[in-house]
Every structure is written in structure tokens, then in C-alpha cells.
């Protein structure tokens, strides 16, 4: 697989001026392909049903990062041929009012997926909101019903970021059976569902967190390392097993040595790249996969709710 990276100083540019590096796992390119496949299946869905899958995104308050995410989600939803319903509520919205909106969206037949952008203002409990979303429309996969289905290997909706990581891993490595995977981080959004997915794919899974002893030694054993800690560059190259595949979920905004703002992952990319067989860059790795998987989940939810079967890889 090829990718572009301005940080790759060891590999010469090719004829088109791009830098080729077989080690880079190009999430941006994979996500573009996935969005294209979703779009052609959405076209089939529209032909068969006469309507488009619909995604409702709810944003409460004016968090600038959330604004950007919501705008991107809405744009990519429309580009995939789906309906995008945006609901922007003021910072002062009460929990009761937000729950009433979620309830309306649950009952709205044109809405197949509901996403409430986190974080929420302090007066609103995220848990209460997630619990109110109809699990069949819970395209973020955060509802306890979907978390439970993932744990027992059932057919629920899987959280988008770990789903995207698993797709990248299978694309790079093929069958994951028997591989030793370490997931660094145990959040409900990334770490735990990631570990469940890898277990489902027959990996031997270790979950590490802030209380893990000998983190370096644990990491060093892993053939697959997924880092999701939110700690900039905390995993150095020395912690990585030679030939391992590294998925860096972290998105951390830092001020670098030259005073510039930049995004870095939870892995020290330069030192890790020299040891790993494959690694996702930040940006351009896991990030683009999250929205692509949201579109995938929305189409899946629409097909299930409306009893339409459009197998992946097929379109008519
Ligand atoms: P959380 O803060 O919810 O969880 C972080 C996890 O990392 C916790 O389990 C914590 O352990 C563990 N951890 C923190 N510090 C250490 C340490 N020093 N050593 C070992 N373990 C540690 O974060 P999220 O899971 O929500 O997100 C993780 C990262 O992924 C963030 O950078 C976030 O921005 C990014 N992210 C990226 C997405 C994408 O689209 N690419 C989507 C979602 C998140 P403990 O439980 O013991 O506290």
C-alpha cells in the first residue's frame, strides 16, 4: 500500500512527487474507497426503496472542534447520497429538551441513524442521552444494547473508530486469527470495543491501561498494537515489536519545537516507523475512517430497519 507523508525523510519521492512508503497504512485512501462503496450501495437502496437513508446529527453548544466534525459529517453524508438532518441547539439546552428531541428522532421514519455529538454541556448526562437513542438507530454504537451485542458476537452496530481500525488491520494483514494484539486504552468508545472486535477476529487480546505494570514489556509482545490513550507520542519505537502493525487512534493537538500547532498521535511516529512493519499516520490514518464507518453504519441501520438486503461489494 502506498501513502503520502511529508515527514518521511528516508524515502525518495516517486515520479508524481509523492513519497512512497510501504509501511504507511493510508487510512485516507481506504476511507475514500469505503465511502465510494457505501455511495454505490446507497444508490441501489434508493432505486429499491424510492428514498434515501437519513442521518440526524445533533450538536448542543458551540464547541469549535465539534462544529468541524458535525460539518464534515453532514457534508460526507450528503456526498454519499444520504439525507442529512442537522439539529443545532443552544448551550443552555436542558437534558429534558434534548431527550425529547432524541425521542422525536427515534419515532421519525425518515431517520435511520442518530448521532448526538459529544461532549455535551455539564447540565446534560451523556449516559442518559445515549440510553434514550433507539439501539436500531444508534449509529455510534454506544448504547448498552449494542455494546452487549458486540460482547456476545451478535449483530449490533459497532462503534465507528474501532470498526475503522479493524478494517485497516484486515486490509493490511488479512486473517487476524491467532495474532497477539494489545489495545492500549480501555474507554467505552475506543479501547473496549476495539478489544471485543479483535477477540471476535480470533486475536489473543491484551487490554492495557494506566494501571498496567511493565507497559513497555507488554507492548513489545504485541504483533498488533492499537494505541488509544490521548497522550501525545507516549509510545516510543523501543516499545514496539519488530515487524508489528501499529494503529494509532490518538488525535492530540500540540505546539511543536518550532512553535507551530500540529496534530500528533499517541505513538511517536518517526521512531515507531523504523521498527514496525505497518503504521497509521496522524493525520491521515484512523481519523478519516471514523466518518466513513459512520456512513457505513447508517446504511446498515437503514437496510435493517427497512428490510432491504444489499450485500457489501454488490450494487445494482
Ligand atoms: P479516554 O481518555 O476515554 O481513554 C484513554 C485510555 O487511555 C484510558 O483507558 C486510560 O487508562 C488510558 N491511558 C491514559 N494514559 C495512560 C498511560 N499513561 N498509560 C497507559 N494507559 C493510559 O480516551 P478515548 O478512548 O476517548 O480516546 C483516546 C484517543 O483517541 C484520544 O487521543 C482521542 O482524541 C482519540 N480518538 C480518535 C478518534 C478518531 O476518530 N481517530 C475517535 C475517538 C477518539 P485508565 O482507564 O486507566 O484511565
Amino acid at each position: 500500500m502506498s501513502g503520502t507523508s511529508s515527514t518521511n525523510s528516508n524515502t525518495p519521492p516517486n515520479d508524481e512527487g509523492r513519497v512512497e512508503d510501504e509501511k504507511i497504512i493510508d487510512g485516507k485512501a481506504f476511507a475514500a474507497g469505503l465511502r465510494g462503496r457505501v455511495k454505490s450501495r446507497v444508490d441501489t437502496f434508493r432505486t429499491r426503496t424510492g428514498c434515501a437513508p437519513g442521518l440526524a446529527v445533533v450538536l448542543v453548544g458551540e464547541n469549535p472542534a465539534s462544529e468541524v466534525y458535525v460539518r464534515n459529517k453532514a457534508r460526507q453524508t450528503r456526498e454519499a447520497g444520504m439525507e442529512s438532518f442537522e439539529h443545532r441547539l443552544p448551550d443552555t439546552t436542558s437534558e429534558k429538551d434534548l431527550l425529547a428531541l432524541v425521542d422525536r428522532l427515534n419515532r421519525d421514519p425518515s431517520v435511520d441513524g442518530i448521532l448526538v455529538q459529544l461532549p455535551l454541556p455539564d447540565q446534560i448526562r451523556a449516559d442518559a442521552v445515549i440510553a434514550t437513542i433507539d439501539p436500531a438507530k444508534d449509529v455510534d454504537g454506544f448504547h448498552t444494547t449494542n455494546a452487549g451485542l458486540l460482547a456476545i458476537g451478535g449483530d449490533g452496530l459497532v462503534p465507528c473508530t474501532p470498526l475503522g481500525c479493524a478494517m485497516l488491520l484486515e486490509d493490511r494483514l488479512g486473517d487476524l486469527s491467532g495474532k497477539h494484539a494489545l489495545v492500549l486504552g480501555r474507554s467505552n468508545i475506543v479501547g473496549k470495543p476495539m478489544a471485543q472486535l479483535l477477540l471476535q477476529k480470533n486475536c489473543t487480546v491484551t487490554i492495557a491501561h494506566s494501571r498496567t505494570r511493565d507497559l513497555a514489556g507488554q507492548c513489545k509482545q504485541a504483533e498488533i498494537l492499537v494505541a488509544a490513550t490521548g497522550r501525545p507520542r507516549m509510545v516510543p519505537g523501543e516499545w514496539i515489536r519488530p515487524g508489528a502493525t501499529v494503529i494509532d487512534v490518538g488525535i492530540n493537538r500540540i505546539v511543536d519545537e518550532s512553535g507551530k500547532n500540529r496534530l500528533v498521535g499517541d505513538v511517536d511516529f518517526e521512531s515507531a516507523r523504523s521498527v514496525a512493519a505497518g503504521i497509521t499516520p496522524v493525520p491521515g490514518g484512523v481519523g478519516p475512517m471514523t466518518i466513513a464507518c459512520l456512513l457505513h453504519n447508517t446504511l446498515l441501520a437503514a437496510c435493517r430497519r427497512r428490510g432491504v438486503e444489499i450485500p457489501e461489494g454488490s450494487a445494482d
Side-chain angles (χ1 to χ4, degrees), residues 208-230:
H209 45 78
S210 65
R211 311 289 173 89
T212 296
R213 285 196 303 254
D214 186 20
L215 198 50
Q218 294 285 348
C219 290
K220 193 115 204 180
Q221 291 177 36
E223 297 168 273
I224 293 170
L225 175 66
V226 181
T229 63

Side-chain angles (χ1 to χ4, degrees), residues 150-165:
L150 180 60
I152 63 166
D155 257 348
L157 289 163
V158 176
C160 302
T161 300
L163 180 60
C165 295

Side-chain angles (χ1 to χ4, degrees), residues 100-267:
L101 171 61
V102 170
D103 186 47
R104 275 205 307 283
L105 297 173
N106 282 342
R107 286 183 281 110
D108 184 339
S110 62
V111 172
D112 296 289
I114 302 170
L115 183 150
V116 179
Q117 186 67 46
L118 303 178
L120 290 164
D122 291 346
Q123 73 277 15
I124 303 177
R125 293 167 301 155
D127 286 357
V129 176
I130 292 166
T132 304
I133 297 173
D134 177 351
K137 296 188 176 188
D138 168 40
V139 283
D140 254 341
F142 295 164
H143 193 285
T144 50
T145 296
N146 283 315
L149 284 168
L150 180 60
I152 63 166
D155 257 348
L157 289 163
V158 176
C160 302
T161 300
L163 180 60
C165 295
M167 287 181 184
L168 291 178
L169 281 167
E170 285 190 312
D171 183 58
R172 171 57 67 120
L173 299 173
D175 184 7
L176 305 183
S177 269
K179 297 210 181 291
H180 182 194
L182 181 130
V183 180
L184 184 47
R186 56 174 165 178
S187 71
N188 292 336
I189 292 172
V190 186
K192 281 184 198 142
M194 185 75 244
Q196 295 286 4
L197 269 178
L198 291 168
L199 193 58
Q200 241 178 47
K201 294 180 188 302
N202 299 314
C203 290
T204 302
V205 183
T206 303
I207 306 175
H209 45 78
S210 65
R211 311 289 173 89
T212 296
R213 285 196 303 254
D214 186 20
L215 198 50
Q218 294 285 348
C219 290
K220 193 115 204 180
Q221 291 177 36
E223 297 168 273
I224 293 170
L225 175 66
V226 181
T229 63
R231 304 270 180 254
R233 296 172 172 152
M234 77 162 274
V235 178
E238 309 87 84
W239 290 15
I240 290 167
R241 172 172 167 164
T245 303
V246 178
I247 303 290
D248 190 350
V249 182
I251 301 180
N252 307 291
R253 200 169 290 279
I254 62 152
V255 179
D256 72 10
E257 305 74 25
S258 57
K260 280 199 192 126
N261 276 315
R262 55 181 293 216
L263 289 183
V264 297
D266 294 346
V267 177

Side-chain angles (χ1 to χ4, degrees), residues 12-66:
N14 67 9
D15 292 346
E16 291 134 24
R18 285 185 300 122
V19 178
E20 297 289 342
D21 186 339
E22 291 299 316
K23 289 190 175 185
I24 305 285
I25 299 175
D26 188 348
K28 197 171 164 195
F30 190 94
L34 177 59
R35 289 198 305 274
R37 292 193 293 280
V38 169
K39 184 174 183 331
S40 63
R41 291 170 65 219
V42 167
D43 291 344
T44 305
F45 183 96
R46 293 173 73 127
T47 309
R48 292 214 198 140
T49 64
C51 56
L55 173 65
V57 178
V58 182
L59 175 62
V60 186
E62 284 164 11
N63 179 324
S66 297

